[in-house]
Amino acid sequence: MQTKHQLLLASAASGILHNVFYSRPTPEFLCSLSSILKQWPLQTVPSKMAIEHIVNSIEIDDVTTLDEDYHALFVGPGKRHAYPWGSVYTDKEKLLFGDSTVAFEHFCLSHGIEFELDGNEPTDHVGLLLGALSTLLKQSDPEHLQAVSSLLEVHLLPWVSAFLDAVDENSVTGYYRGFSKLLRIWINDWELNLKLNPTSTRLY
């Protein structure tokens, strides 16, 4: 069973992942990462290898290169290489604001989670899901992780592997490939520890 201290560390780690996938990289954030990753709560061999890719990329890739990779993957203009919204993978027409968006909005409403968004954007963004996970981990009691389990089983696990596959295939920097691997390891560890049963969802 997770302790409250472990949940707070997990909340902080999920917050870092939220920033990586939702916000463009900034010099300030990149400068803070090396020390933060040394304290990453899951220090397995695969995690350490992913972290090494990230740190090496920060050393050799300038902010412009990382920013270009971020936009090509998640933002555009034009076709993104790794669409970060769940409905793109779970909706037959690959439409934004699909059923997964509505379901996650209802989930957030029922758990008092609110986002300050710049515009009318779908909330089933992987970065926002990780931000919600960070909030729930911070608020949860170690013996009562139902909301955390539900977020992962219903709203993230059914499609996140397809998203991460796209990041792995299309990223041109070790920064995003490393964080893709780190997120995959992170999510899989929670799936194992909480004995989760992800919702069976057809992907398109």
Side-chain angles (χ1 to χ4, degrees):
M1 184 179 70
Q2 300 285 331
T3 66
K4 185 60 180 179
H5 178 66
Q6 288 172 322
L7 292 182
L8 291 175
L9 290 176
S11 172
S14 296
I16 294 297
L17 293 168
H18 155 75
N19 285 325
V20 167
F21 289 101
Y22 188 69
S23 302
R24 63 192 301 180
T26 64
E28 295 77 17
F29 181 69
L30 295 172
C31 284
S32 68
L33 271 179
S34 293
S35 59
I36 290 173
L37 291 173
K38 289 178 181 177
Q39 304 173 54
W40 192 255
L42 189 61
Q43 288 289 338
T44 62
V45 172
S47 291
K48 290 179 180 179
M49 292 177 63
I51 289 170
E52 185 177 353
H53 283 299
I54 296 165
V55 173
N56 288 342
S57 181
I58 293 173
E59 292 177 353
I60 64 175
D61 296 314
D62 57 27
V63 177
T64 299
T65 301
L66 296 174
D67 189 65
E68 289 174 350
D69 201 17
Y70 168 81
H71 277 81
L73 288 168
F74 314 128
V75 180
K79 181 180 179 180
R80 289 94 164 166
H81 294 311
Y83 283 86
W85 299 282
S87 58
V88 173
Y89 303 92
T90 59
D91 187 276
K92 187 175 182 179
E93 304 299 327
K94 296 184 177 294
L95 298 177
L96 299 181
F97 296 98
D99 290 343
S100 67
T101 309
V102 175
F104 183 57
E105 288 177 349
H106 287 166
F107 175 87
C108 289
L109 184 64
S110 66
H111 291 88
I113 298 172
E114 297 182 2
F115 299 113
E116 293 184 7
L117 305 177
D118 292 334
N120 184 29
E121 62 176 292
T123 54
D124 59 337
H125 187 294
V126 64
L128 294 178
L129 281 156
L130 290 166
L133 178 62
S134 176
T135 298
L136 291 174
L137 286 166
K138 187 175 182 179
Q139 296 174 346
S140 294
D141 182 277
E143 295 183 1
H144 300 91
L145 293 172
Q146 292 91 336
V148 171
S149 297
S150 179
L151 186 152
L152 293 170
E153 286 181 325
V154 177
H155 303 286
L156 187 58
L157 280 169
W159 61 272
V160 73
S161 286
F163 162 73
L164 293 175
D165 288 344
V167 176
D168 291 340
E169 181 178 347
N170 294 287
S171 175
V172 298
T173 64
Y175 180 83
Y176 285 107
R177 286 195 302 273
F179 268 115
S180 173
K181 290 178 173 58
L182 201 60
L183 176 54
R184 197 187 297 271
I185 295 164
W186 182 245
I187 295 297
N188 288 345
D189 185 69
W190 278 103
E191 181 178 4
L192 179 64
N193 286 335
L194 295 181
K195 299 179 173 60
L196 301 181
N197 184 26
T199 301
S200 179
T201 304
R202 183 175 181 180
L203 302 182
Y204 297 92

